Amino acid sequence: MFSMTRRQFMTYSARLAAMTGLGASAVPKIGLALQSLASGQAPLVWLQGQSCSGCSVSLLNAAHPDPASILMRYISLQFHGTLSTATGDLGMAVLNANIKQGNYLLAVEGSVPAAMPEACVIGAEPYNKLLLRAASAAQAVVAVGACAGFGGIPGAENNPTGALSVKEFLNKNQVGKPIIVLPGCPVHPDWLVGTLVHVLKFGVPSLNADGAPLMFYERLVHDQCPRFSDYEREHFARFFSDEGCLFKLGCLGPVTHADCPKRLWNSGTNFCINAGAPCIGCSAKTFAQKASLPFFRKVEQIKDKAAGA
Amino acid sequence: MAEKIEIDPITRIEGHLAVSVEVEEGRVARAFCKGEMFRGFELILKGRDPLDAQQITQRICGVCPVSHGMASVLAQEQAYGITPNENGRLVRNLILGANYLQSHIIHFYHLSAVDFIDLEAIAQYQGKDAALNEFKAWVGTQKASSVVAPGAPFLPRYAGDYLDGTDANITAIKHYLEGLRMRALAHQMAALFAGKLPHVASLVPGGVTERVTTQKIAAYGAMLQELRSFINRSYLPDVMSVAAGFPSYFKLGKGCGNFLAYGAFAESADNSRKYLPAGVVIGGRLAEFDPRQITEDVKYSYYQSASGLAPAAGQTVPRPGKPDAYTWLKAPRYKGMAMEVGPLSRILIAYLSGTDPEVRQAVDHGLNQLNRSTEDLDSAMGRHAARAIECKLVADQCARWLDQLKPGEPACVDFTIPRSGQGVGLCEAPRGALGHWLAIDDYKIASYQCVVPTTWNCSPKDDQGHPGPVEQALIGTPIANAAQPIEAARVVRSFDPCLACAVH
């Protein structure tokens, strides 16, 4: 790829665009992405709305490539509120110059306070406006994590800000951009880095109906669970730290699509169910949305017990 | 005539903070901290299952989720009338301790140090280190490229007085890069018992769901060894060299002079004894901490709820655009006074309480090396020094707690949730005192209020008009160049602000 002629390069890009269903109009843009990748300079702008920065911290837990390699070999991280040395007006100048030039990848962390624009302000501008400006000029948008992906906890029942996912908000405002959704609370660094590299090298990966890459979110947690045999034998954990399938403690593995049981977290160290904790469904669209679907089932058991006694 | 400077956004902190300062005769005369993002966690928690709380509150903050999880399980344990067993207590200390290490390392190297060390010095590097040569080559390529901001996210930066001497800068840059791996290692170490990070899975009332095995003890021990080596050989010396290069910052950024800690790292099952003790320092005198003295003012905050409420009776009713208000942070006060929280407060309180000779020794040793007194710690540079000293102390304690674990024994006790109850969970996040106030009614959360470290530090003026700790610390800071107010940014960052936490 590094020694391609321009002609070969455009042919290659066209093939990729066809493969990923983006059509001919997308070719020049992806071509630009490939060129900038070849020089390690694919510009990426990272915005944070109603976020906890947990997805940013998770990105820093990337192992191979590690964060320094990502910054020096894959992307040119033009702006990131938690990492950029540039602060205040200087930071805004970098951000605005990028928006003016366009053609970057936009990564968005956090939900959008659609019904209360005052609930998120950056550089004296309501975040909602800034996001529309930044998304309009972007090649593509990556909605990182549960909040950007599906609204997450800021978008849960009883929330006061009318928080929306990035896709819902952009659709509502007629900003049509290719959007990749990477749910999870936080996002797994492999899901994010793997997707970015795929977009830059091969275009948009195959996505499920919600816009999440199938290569990470195709299968149910339950189907890959190390305690699946306990489930089949109806050997259920009765209390926290007990052995057995965690289903009766509220495990949401049966309704959650992610590859955590195979991929594991923190450089292959562990994951929720291995640590005896029921899956709380953090990559599911329903994550934390309703009080009527709690993470754990302890209280119901007690009430059942009381009702039966 | 005052000149108004807006630093908006303050990057390299967690979350959305803007700082507005008014400069008179070259120095800050007035300062305003503006928390710019609100989600409404306390409203979202209402009516939910109490066990949702330790998971939901962790999502207040991706940098210190462990502390929120801890505060929540402590509040619930009080409401349920249980205490964790020995393994449960120790594993929690190990998870919390590991997150202190990752948080302190990221705060110094990746958030703060680039205000002091000269990143441009990499161009002068002549050695053979592969990582440094890659960085040097990359900066060169970037400068020749057509990207909008070559060298981002490291450049551009404010013009200013950066550290002198190529060697010291190159060493710090090398440790910046190594620090990226070290902070990830600290998370990996925590995940052995936590399941994953950020946002841990295993914390529950009664202990932790993960089991204690010999293999996990050995793995944690090996990772801890690597981290302790980095802290002792890189982090502490780098803080010393930055401190030596910027002596004026021991005189700048003096805070409100009052210090508060709730204490952290349980040394007894009921959490009454803690490795880092609770306490308050007012007017230089150590006193006992009384949680009943905490109230929150909202005159200058975007809330229409009543002002001056105690957290147990607290309310969160948003009112964006409220006249005179300038922030989403409430203004917590102790006996009506602004209080600074964080590693400096914890270290001062531990030092003055004198219960642990090792704390005294570590602080005295650090101060000797710096040729400073305890009074100098109340400053921008003092906060960095206190944080580094604490990092070393906590890492040392992690080794002790690890030794006390008993493989194969339970790390969790069972419990029943009562129909109604109340609890207060008091803990310390890496950046300061953290409290959760919980009330349960009909098995559901009736009220949940969080008073968070940066709520204390970045608080606005209270109803009496007294500014918050960071606002006070900024007053008197000289600003050489109004277009590039690096001095103010350095003072603000010394507090390690976390705005997602502060507003929630």
Side-chain angles (χ1 to χ4, degrees), chain B residues 256-307:
Chain B
C256 59
N258 304 325
F259 302 93
L260 165 69
Y262 301 159
F265 300 108
E267 298 282 20
S268 62
D270 65 358
N271 204 20
S272 60
R273 278 193 308 113
K274 302 175 188 184
Y275 171 64
L276 294 170
V280 292
V281 175
I282 295 169
R285 294 175 60 134
L286 179 69
E288 247 183 70
F289 162 62
D290 174 6
R292 291 167 305 180
Q293 303 297 333
I294 300 169
T295 52
E296 289 190 296
D297 283 358
V298 297
K299 184 174 174 187
Y300 295 98
S301 319
Y302 299 127
Y303 303 100
Q304 56 183 328
S305 14
S307 202

Side-chain angles (χ1 to χ4, degrees), chain B residues 54-74:
Chain B
Q54 78 267 13
Q55 283 298 328
I56 288 189
T57 57
Q58 282 193 68
R59 272 77 181 175
I60 287 175
C61 175
V63 187
C64 40
V66 182
S67 317
H68 283 284
M70 282 290 303
S72 185
V73 294
L74 289 171

Side-chain angles (χ1 to χ4, degrees), chain A residues 139-290:
Chain A
Q139 288 185 51
V141 180
V142 184
V144 183
C147 303
F150 296 136
I153 290 172
E157 193 175 8
N158 293 330
N159 86 78
T161 63
L164 294 180
S165 73
V166 172
K167 201 173 187 171
E168 287 172 301
F169 181 75
L170 293 183
N171 283 345
K172 234 178 124 174
N173 288 279
Q174 283 98 41
V175 175
K177 286 284 164 180
I179 297 190
I180 302 172
V181 169
L182 300 176
C185 193
V187 74
H188 191 295
D190 292 359
W191 302 341
L192 175 54
V193 175
T195 301
L196 288 178
V197 173
H198 198 284
V199 167
L200 295 170
K201 265 190 125 141
F202 309 112
V204 176
S206 299
L207 307 175
N208 67 17
D210 292 323
L214 286 168
M215 57 186 173
F216 303 120
Y217 300 95
E218 187 167 23
R219 298 180 66 198
L220 287 169
V221 168
H222 182 64
D223 294 354
Q224 312 160 73
C225 183
R227 298 192 186 202
F228 190 77
S229 56
D230 289 317
Y231 170 79
E232 291 218 302
R233 282 189 216 116
E234 298 186 31
H235 174 222
F236 292 108
R238 295 151 298 164
F239 48 85
F240 290 134
S241 85
D242 195 12
E243 288 180 1
C245 169
L246 301 168
F247 180 71
K248 291 196 171 175
L249 293 176
C251 184
L252 294 171
V255 295
T256 305
H257 292 85
D259 63 5
C260 306
K262 295 278 192 282
R263 184 168 303 283
L264 305 178
W265 283 72
N266 302 93
S267 305
T269 301
N270 209 343
F271 92 108
C272 306
I273 293 171
N274 273 0
C279 169
I280 61 167
C282 74
S283 65
K285 210 168 180 174
T286 48
F287 172 59
Q289 292 306 295
K290 297 273 178 205

Side-chain angles (χ1 to χ4, degrees), chain B residues 220-478:
Chain B
Y220 190 105
M223 294 182 203
L224 180 61
Q225 195 51 43
E226 221 182 312
L227 277 155
R228 288 172 79 186
S229 167
F230 179 79
I231 293 162
N232 292 331
R233 292 185 195 168
S234 303
Y235 180 21
L236 279 164
D238 287 343
V239 171
M240 294 294 164
S241 91
V242 167
F246 293 86
S248 61
Y249 281 86
F250 278 107
K251 299 293 166 204
L252 295 179
K254 183 177 164 50
C256 59
N258 304 325
F259 302 93
L260 165 69
Y262 301 159
F265 300 108
E267 298 282 20
S268 62
D270 65 358
N271 204 20
S272 60
R273 278 193 308 113
K274 302 175 188 184
Y275 171 64
L276 294 170
V280 292
V281 175
I282 295 169
R285 294 175 60 134
L286 179 69
E288 247 183 70
F289 162 62
D290 174 6
R292 291 167 305 180
Q293 303 297 333
I294 300 169
T295 52
E296 289 190 296
D297 283 358
V298 297
K299 184 174 174 187
Y300 295 98
S301 319
Y302 299 127
Y303 303 100
Q304 56 183 328
S305 14
S307 202
L309 299 176
Q315 292 171 9
T316 304
V317 185
R319 191 186 165 198
K322 178 176 138 182
D324 293 334
Y326 59 91
T327 179
W328 282 105
L329 275 74
K330 296 178 182 174
R333 294 294 185 261
Y334 183 86
K335 292 186 175 175
M337 286 176 283
M339 307 294 284
E340 175 171 344
V341 300
L344 170 59
S345 298
R346 288 193 291 262
I347 288 296
L348 273 181
I349 287 161
Y351 184 90
L352 292 173
S353 69
T355 44
D356 187 342
E358 277 177 29
V359 174
R360 276 203 101 94
Q361 229 170 30
V363 175
D364 287 337
H365 178 70
L367 290 172
N368 274 341
Q369 276 188 303
L370 292 163
N371 202 16
R372 297 279 164 186
S373 70
T374 47
E375 284 73 43
D376 294 326
L377 285 174
D378 184 3
S379 63
M381 198 54 73
R383 286 183 197 98
H384 288 293
R387 194 174 289 110
I389 291 167
E390 180 182 78
C391 194
K392 179 201 157 42
L393 287 168
V394 168
D396 292 350
Q397 295 310 307
C398 284
R400 176 169 67 84
W401 294 318
L402 190 68
D403 268 350
Q404 295 171 0
L405 284 177
K406 297 202 168 60
E409 290 191 13
C412 199
V413 299
D414 202 13
F415 57 92
T416 51
I417 298 173
R419 180 180 286 275
S420 64
Q422 289 183 351
V424 185
L426 299 174
C427 178
E428 290 280 333
R431 41 199 60 64
L434 170 65
H436 286 195
W437 281 258
L438 160 74
I440 299 169
D441 188 34
D442 196 21
Y443 303 106
K444 300 288 180 209
I445 294 170
S447 165
Y448 208 106
Q449 286 283 322
C450 309
V451 184
V452 188
T454 301
T455 328
W456 287 99
N457 285 341
C458 286
S459 67
K461 291 187 285 182
D462 54 36
D463 289 9
Q464 276 65 51
H466 299 305
V470 173
E471 292 178 339
Q472 292 191 39
L474 280 164
I475 293 170
T477 304

Side-chain angles (χ1 to χ4, degrees), chain B residues 136-164:
Chain B
K136 181 184 174 182
W138 176 80
V139 172
T141 315
Q142 282 274 305
K143 288 195 165 175
S145 81
S146 60
V147 293
V148 172
F154 309 103
L155 302 169
R157 56 180 189 174
Y158 281 153
D161 51 332
Y162 292 97
L163 192 62
D164 275 338

Side-chain angles (χ1 to χ4, degrees), chain B residues 1 6-7 32-33 45-46 54 129 148 157 207 222 259 306 367 432 462 465 504:
Chain B
M1 183 70 193
E6 299 284 343
I7 316 175
F32 304 89
C33 283
L45 281 159
K46 225 170 174 174
Q54 78 267 13
D129 183 275
V148 172
R157 56 180 189 174
F259 302 93
L367 290 172
D462 54 36
H504 46 272

